[in-house]
Amino acid sequence: LERAHAASSAILSALERSGCDGKDDDMVLGPAFCSVLAPTLGGLVRRETPPPVVKPTDCIRHAASMLTSGITGVLVGEAGRVVGTVTPRCLLRALASGADTNTTCVRDCMLAPPPTPSACTTVLEALHLLQEERASHI
């Protein structure tokens, strides 16, 4: 990815030096090159339904029921903000320690809030953020 990013940066720089900045009305290829060579999260992630959210006081059985086909994390929300996340690994740890799925609260096994990059963050920047934060979700 690093080499691909360097190559795409070189191409974008060459376009800019040639006077093609992608901002002119008559320049059609500039934005297309940018979206292909430096894709952003906003260009890749299409959310037609809101992500699953539980409250910190919900039982872990409720959070587990939301982890279905393709959903690998559930946001924990309180007062309109994300206060944590629950992943299958969190639930396995709770079960391994003997937690009761009906009485153990999400707050007892959730992780800190995941990093939240903006929609204009490039994919490469997001990967670096995941590595720096030692996170598995954004």
Side-chain angles (χ1 to χ4, degrees):
L1 282 174
E2 294 287 344
R3 282 183 282 178
H5 179 69
S8 65
S9 294
I11 293 170
L12 289 172
S13 293
L15 279 172
E16 289 171 358
R17 282 193 306 276
S18 71
C20 299
D21 60 5
K23 296 176 184 163
D24 299 330
D25 290 336
D26 59 340
M27 178 59 192
V28 175
L29 294 178
F33 275 119
C34 289
S35 66
V36 169
L37 299 175
T40 62
L41 296 179
L44 295 177
V45 177
R46 299 278 186 242
R47 222 353 129 193
E48 295 177 14
T49 59
V53 179
V54 294
K55 294 181 267 186
T57 55
D58 287 343
C59 67
I60 61 173
R61 177 181 291 279
H62 180 59
S65 71
M66 296 180 153
L67 293 170
T68 59
S69 60
I71 305 293
T72 59
V74 176
L75 297 176
V76 182
E78 186 172 51
R81 62 186 193 93
V82 176
V83 296
T85 186
V86 176
T87 64
R89 179 177 265 175
C90 297
L91 297 172
L92 283 174
R93 270 192 231 117
L95 291 173
S97 68
D100 181 334
T101 59
N102 292 314
T103 59
T104 303
C105 291
V106 167
R107 83 165 75 82
D108 298 328
C109 72
M110 70 182 191
L111 299 172
T116 52
S118 70
C120 59
T121 301
T122 67
V123 171
L124 186 62
E125 292 168 336
L127 289 172
H128 281 288
L129 180 62
L130 283 169
Q131 184 178 25
E132 289 168 10
E133 299 285 329
R134 294 180 172 225
S136 60
H137 294 76
I138 53 175

